[in-house]
Amino acid sequence: MLKVIVSCVLTGIISIATSYFINVYLGKIREKNKLVYDQLKDYSEKLSLLDEKWTEFDEIMRNWNNERDMSVAPIFWKKCLFKMDDIEKCFADYRASIHRTENVISNNFSDEDVFLDSVYSMSVTKGDDFNEANFFNQSKNHFEGHVKGKDDFPDKEIAYETMNKIYGTYVEIYKYRVKVKLSRANSYIDQKLQIVSNSISTHKFNKSKTTID
């Protein structure tokens, strides 16, 4: 009788201890997954905001293509420059998140190289007129060379000619570079967010390799 009681007590103690350690273990896994998810989400949100600003720039350029009116060319030129500033500010925030995200990817996944390849960049390449950074710099410098101050508007004929050049460069940059790079970056991070989101529900998180098509 005593043996049965002792056995029941021991079984209960073991059961409680096992349950406690499992809960602690799962809690740590859940906490870790949440930290990973939060950083990936931060990266994703900054990327989405950058994408949004590029879409707004695209809308300005499409509106100009529909207008092609010399009288409003100076206004469109200024709108372009304001939106370029917005894009650069969003890019700075996005770039700041890249390093933190790279650490999370390297510590929790096995495809850091794929992540780095998917990262959207605006690096300056000398002599590359179709590079985003050079495109922005040339547009701003050209504007500053034709106005006396920030609040001034350039000559209509110069603005008209410039807007047509900006539009031609924009088509090449946005369609063949920006959209492709942003799409690749979004595809990668969306897949990772889904993996981590699922792991938070199942308490499981294994290093995995994700291939972007």
Side-chain angles (χ1 to χ4, degrees):
M1 183 65 178
L2 181 60
K3 290 183 178 180
V4 174
I5 294 174
V6 171
S7 176
C8 289
V9 170
L10 289 175
T11 301
I13 292 173
I14 293 171
S15 177
I16 293 172
T18 302
S19 178
Y20 173 78
F21 282 115
I22 288 175
N23 287 332
V24 170
Y25 175 71
L26 292 180
K28 288 183 177 179
I29 292 178
R30 187 162 49 244
E31 182 179 352
K32 174 192 172 184
N33 290 347
K34 184 65 167 57
L35 290 174
V36 171
Y37 183 85
D38 287 347
Q39 180 54 49
L40 296 182
K41 187 66 175 177
D42 175 76
Y43 174 88
S44 177
E45 288 174 350
K46 287 181 170 57
L47 177 62
S48 294
L49 186 56
L50 178 62
D51 198 346
E52 178 183 314
K53 296 305 176 183
W54 266 111
T55 300
E56 291 171 359
F57 182 79
D58 175 54
E59 183 178 358
I60 292 172
M61 297 310 298
R62 284 188 286 108
N63 288 340
W64 165 253
N65 191 44
N66 292 330
E67 293 271 350
R68 296 280 182 168
D69 185 344
M70 186 179 295
S71 65
V72 296
I75 297 174
F76 268 94
W77 194 359
K78 267 203 168 184
K79 283 184 177 180
C80 284
L81 299 183
F82 285 142
K83 193 52 59 181
M84 288 176 182
D85 284 340
D86 286 345
I87 291 172
E88 288 180 327
K89 289 174 184 175
C90 288
F91 177 71
D93 291 338
Y94 166 72
R95 184 172 54 191
S97 182
I98 292 174
H99 181 66
R100 296 191 298 272
T101 306
E102 181 183 356
N103 288 336
V104 167
I105 295 295
S106 63
N107 290 331
N108 296 280
F109 297 92
S110 59
D111 62 344
E112 182 183 359
D113 57 332
V114 180
F115 166 70
L116 293 175
D117 187 53
S118 77
V119 166
Y120 174 78
S121 65
M122 286 176 55
S123 59
V124 177
T125 303
K126 187 175 181 180
D128 181 6
D129 291 338
F130 295 109
N131 176 278
E132 297 94 307
N134 283 338
F135 173 48
F136 287 2
N137 289 335
Q138 289 172 10
S139 299
K140 292 177 182 179
N141 292 338
H142 190 53
F143 182 86
E144 291 173 0
H146 289 87
V147 295
K148 294 180 180 179
K150 291 183 178 180
D151 296 329
D152 291 339
F153 284 91
D155 177 80
K156 292 180 180 179
E157 291 185 4
I158 293 175
Y160 182 77
E161 179 183 350
T162 302
M163 277 306 302
N164 286 332
K165 288 181 179 178
I166 288 176
Y167 180 81
T169 305
Y170 137 83
V171 170
E172 293 293 328
I173 286 177
Y174 188 71
K175 181 177 180 180
Y176 298 109
R177 295 179 70 151
V178 175
K179 288 186 72 173
V180 173
K181 290 193 287 185
L182 288 175
S183 176
R184 185 175 180 81
N186 277 306
S187 293
Y188 178 91
I189 202 64
D190 286 348
Q191 289 183 31
K192 284 295 182 278
L193 280 170
Q194 188 60 54
I195 290 172
V196 181
S197 178
N198 291 341
S199 74
I200 291 174
S201 300
T202 61
H203 309 296
K204 294 180 180 179
F205 189 44
N206 298 319
K207 282 199 170 188
S208 59
K209 186 166 184 177
T210 302
T211 302
I212 307 298
D213 295 328

